[in-house]
Each structure stands twice: as C-alpha cells, then as structure tokens.
Amino acid sequence: MADDDVATKAPESDAAEQSLFSGDKKADQGASMGEHCTTDRPTPEGEKPTGELTKLDDVDVYITKPADYPHAPSKLLLLLTGGTGVRSTNNQLQADRYAAEGFLVVMPDQFNGDPAPTTSTAVQTEQNPSLIETVKMRAVEVAKSFTIDMWLARHTPATVLPVLHRVLNAAKDEFADAVANGGGVYAVGYCFGAKYVLMLGSELPDTVAHGQKATDEEAGVVKKEASIKCGAIAHGTMITREDLQHLQVPTYLVCVEGDSLFPDDVREEGVKSLQERKVEHEVKLYSDVPHGFAVFGDYADSKIKEAQTEAFGQMLGWLKAH
C-alpha cells in the first residue's frame, strides 16, 4: 500500500483503531491521538472552501461568514479542529457548513503553524504478514507513537489556551455585533479541539486548568466566568474527568461507544458530575462508527455518512437553541 493509498484509505477501519499510547491511564494522562485525528479523509469531489485565511492578533485564522452578513445579524462561533489544523480543506469546509447556517465562524490555528504529523506509512500491509513484516509494522507503530508524543508535548493547555484567548479577544472586538447578537461566543470542537471547548467553558482559572500550581487566590477556589456561552463537541481526545467536572456552560457531547480515546468510564463520571451540578447538557452516543466520524470528509460506508450528517444536525441544533 503506497503513501497516497494510506492517506485516503477507507476510514471505516478506524472503528477498530486503538490509542497509540499504552497504559490504562491514557485518558487521564491526556496523551491519546490516532490516525483519525491527524489525517484528513478524502474531500468530496467538487467541494471548495469559501472563507479566507487571515490573522487575528497575529494568529492565523480561517474566517467564514454567512452570505448575507453583515446585512443580516449573525452569531460568533469558535471552531476548534483536530490535529489536521486550520489549513485542512475538510476543516475549512466544516466551518463553511456552520457559516451557511448563520454563524460567523472563526477557526484559529491552535498549533502555531505546526499541525500534527501524519500517521500514514509506506509499510506494506498483508493479510498474513511474515514475522519480518510484522516486526517492521510494529517498529513503524512505535515510531508513530514517539512522533505524536513529541507533537503533543509541544501543544499543551499551557501553549494552546493563551492562543485561543488572544483570538477570542480580537474576535470579540472585530465582530462585536455578532457577539452581542448571540449574547456571547459559541464554540464547537472536534477531536483535539473538543477538550479546549470544555476548558473554555470551565470555571477554573487557566493556570489550574492546565496543571500549574495555583496561586493563593486560586487555591481558595476562586472561580472565573467561562469564556464561551455554550458548546458542542464531537469525539474528544485527551479529555479528563476534571474537564467535565468543572464545565459550567450548556454543552452537547457527540461520543462513540467504546472509544479508547474518550473512554466510557471518563464520559460516564463526567456526565454524572454535570447532572449533579445541574449543568445543561445532552449526550448522543454512537455505536459502530469510528472515532473522528463527525469531521467533514467522504466515507464509503453509508451508515457512517448518515451518522456524520446526523451529528452535524444535532450540534447545529443545540447551538441554535441556545
């Protein structure tokens, strides 16, 4: 199988894909990424983005607007991507879909020009590989894991959150009309970006949220206002119990049953916390679909296509209802 074949292989195979990182505590440690988070699916033929790449506070952003904006009111939506980042055609098309529904979408470069390395490989895969081929494939998997580990080490809450706040502050100034019309900022997040939607909707100071030692004031459990009004996420990665336990804004969660990158026990404990604290939320649990299915891209399996369309409609409906 050549590189190009791997990059556009049938994504249904992701349904069986496991985390690149071993260990029972991978979700709490926050180090889980897979091919679905780092490699785009085929783009549907004839689809082209309609927004523009520009800058807000010197951060690269993709901005896409409703066709009738500013003549008709809009609402500001922050869209946070998976590892493929702001220059991914599929991510740009995903943003365009929300713009077509009336949202002014700002999609920032969370990774400062350093999107996740692709996990595709030129190693041949055979139905019954020889011992040598098996060893080669395992070596490639180890190399992938190391590469993604190094990338994740460069992109932590300590580096990502300041970028997001810069973009949010600049967007609030430039598109104050959209913020006012929506009564705040809306946010959606996919894969890597899902965690940061939860963090922006958190009551914790950023320093506590990304693991730094709390100041005396923060140690006294001084809370902050969330940076967003409401959110919607799809198949998050690296989400911890704490991310959900401190969420305070209405949030819709699209999840995959048995997802090793967002384990059931983490989700269930988090949802229990939301229920106890009476934080408005809704969970849609999908089965027999791959992690990453809701990200825009072409699928051969009609069931996955239908689930992708359904998930978009649910997330969109949640945002419009709030």
Side-chain angles (χ1 to χ4, degrees), residues 35-277:
E35 183 169 355
H36 37 264
C37 301
T38 61
T39 304
D40 272 335
R41 302 308 170 211
T43 301
E45 187 175 355
E47 296 274 3
K48 293 184 179 180
T50 58
E52 66 171 344
L53 277 168
T54 182
K55 288 183 181 292
L56 286 176
D57 195 6
D58 206 34
V59 177
D60 288 339
V61 294
Y62 178 80
I63 296 178
T64 179
K65 307 171 184 177
D68 53 0
Y69 179 83
H71 305 294
S74 183
K75 297 177 181 180
L76 184 64
L77 176 67
L78 182 74
L79 193 157
L80 304 182
T81 72
T84 51
V86 70
R87 287 176 172 75
S88 156
T89 297
N90 285 359
N91 289 339
Q92 293 177 1
L93 290 170
Q94 187 112 55
D96 289 346
R97 295 175 75 194
Y98 286 103
E101 296 290 342
F103 288 92
L104 193 162
V105 185
V106 174
M107 185 170 71
D109 179 6
Q110 306 164 94
F111 312 122
N112 194 29
D114 177 35
T118 178
T119 58
S120 62
T121 172
V123 170
Q124 300 289 325
T125 57
E126 301 175 4
Q127 186 172 1
N128 297 298
S130 67
L131 176 60
I132 292 176
E133 289 299 321
T134 300
V135 171
K136 285 182 179 179
M137 287 187 286
R138 178 56 185 160
V140 169
E141 290 304 314
V142 171
K144 288 180 186 178
S145 177
F146 178 76
T147 301
I148 295 297
D149 253 337
M150 295 297 290
W151 181 80
L152 286 170
R154 296 195 298 272
H155 302 291
T156 66
T159 60
V160 174
L161 282 171
V163 171
L164 298 183
H165 285 305
R166 285 168 56 194
V167 170
L168 275 173
N169 290 336
K172 287 177 182 178
D173 288 341
E174 184 159 342
F175 306 113
D177 58 330
V179 176
N181 183 56
V185 178
Y186 297 78
V188 293
Y190 295 84
C191 300
F192 183 101
K195 178 181 179 72
Y196 290 89
V197 168
L198 300 182
M199 297 185 84
L200 291 173
S202 169
E203 61 189 2
L204 289 179
D206 284 352
T207 51
V208 178
H210 60 63
Q212 295 181 13
K213 184 177 179 181
T215 64
D216 290 341
E217 182 181 46
E218 291 165 347
V221 198
V222 174
K223 308 295 184 179
K224 69 175 180 64
E225 290 295 322
S227 299
I228 58 174
K229 176 182 179 179
C230 81
I233 68 170
H235 37 69
T237 63
M238 302 175 294
I239 291 175
T240 66
R241 291 166 174 80
E242 289 73 21
D243 291 333
L244 291 164
Q245 288 168 353
H246 296 287
L247 180 66
Q248 65 177 13
V249 302
T251 303
Y252 193 93
L253 296 92
V254 170
C255 305
V256 176
E257 187 175 18
D259 186 354
S260 64
L261 301 182
F262 188 2
D264 293 346
D265 61 328
V266 175
R267 183 191 71 247
E268 290 164 0
E269 288 186 31
V271 168
K272 181 179 179 181
S273 171
L274 295 175
Q275 293 169 340
E276 291 172 347
R277 294 183 294 113

